[in-house]
Amino acid sequence: MATKALGAEFLGTAILVLFGCGSAVFAGEYIGYAGISLAFGLAIVTVAYGFGHLSGAHVNPAVTLGAWVAGRMPPGLAVGYIVAQCLGAMAGAGVIYLVASGMGAHAGQFGQNLYAPGALQAALVFEFVATFIFVLMILGTTSRTENGLVAGLAIGLTLTAIHLVGIPLTGTSVNPARSFGPALFAGGQALNQLWLFIVAPAVAGVVAGFVHRKVLSQH
């Protein structure tokens, strides 16, 4: 079962990066911020209903860290999830690279996360707060079995809303793996700024897991 769960996390994260970042790279000029936001949201809905029964469809190290701190999974499995997610993000970004490499207009654009010069504080605050809300919402929604049929939709809509606010600020990460894959192919400034899109969401995930376990959990 663990192998299937890790495979689901790999494939799910690859799909999230391919659809979400791919929409920005190949269709961004046509669909705008709203369309890109919806692409990320629909991608997570697809993954949640397709792979949720196998792994919970975290597809995000911040979510996995939150689940671990909340007491929902052992640390060894959490590490496996995070590795699978990062590899999946690389695979999704790799597909984007293979397609975009023959399109000069998109050279160097792989949906990477970036913040403007002088906007470090704004990026840190947004990524932490948005990830905290996202992970806390996921933990709360999935803690009730009666939410099973609508959980994926609720999570997807939340991610859409977060992207609508965050794309102009950072491109919206709230997911270290989603940032890691594209940054490897983009290089340059994306790699230089990658630390923020790893640290802020990861810390937020841990804090959300702690808050859920100590304050909001019904157990």
Side-chain angles (χ1 to χ4, degrees), residues 6-49:
L6 295 179
E9 287 299 306
F10 173 87
L11 289 173
T13 311
I15 290 170
L16 176 67
V17 171
L18 177 59
F19 286 179
C21 296
S23 72
V25 175
F26 303 122
E29 61 183 303
Y30 306 108
I31 62 177
Y33 289 161
I36 296 169
S37 300
L38 189 59
F40 273 100
L42 290 175
I44 205 68
V45 170
T46 300
V47 171
Y49 288 114

Side-chain angles (χ1 to χ4, degrees), residues 139-157:
L139 293 174
T141 301
T142 57
S143 66
R144 300 169 65 95
T145 56
E146 59 266 34
N147 290 338
L149 292 177
V150 298
L153 181 59
I155 293 168
L157 289 174

Side-chain angles (χ1 to χ4, degrees), residues 2 4 9 25 34-35 40 56 63 72-73 81 88 98 100 116 127 129 143 158 188 196-197 218:
K4 291 183 179 180
E9 287 299 306
V25 175
F40 273 100
V63 175
R72 294 193 184 182
M73 64 190 310
Y81 268 42
L98 289 175
E127 288 294 334
V129 173
S143 66
T158 302
L196 184 148
F197 301 108
Q218 296 179 335

Side-chain angles (χ1 to χ4, degrees), residues 92-179:
V95 174
I96 294 174
Y97 171 79
L98 289 175
V99 177
S101 60
M103 302 170 63
H106 297 289
Q109 298 299 315
F110 305 105
Q112 62 268 31
N113 293 114
L114 293 168
Y115 58 87
L120 173 61
Q121 177 179 311
L124 273 171
V125 171
F126 171 76
E127 288 294 334
F128 177 87
V129 173
T131 307
F132 174 79
I133 293 170
F134 186 48
V135 175
L136 200 62
M137 177 269 174
I138 291 172
L139 293 174
T141 301
T142 57
S143 66
R144 300 169 65 95
T145 56
E146 59 266 34
N147 290 338
L149 292 177
V150 298
L153 181 59
I155 293 168
L157 289 174
T158 302
L159 189 61
T160 299
I162 288 172
H163 275 77
L164 285 171
V165 176
I167 288 178
L169 300 174
T170 64
T172 308
S173 172
V174 301
N175 183 337
R178 168 261 181 274
S179 298

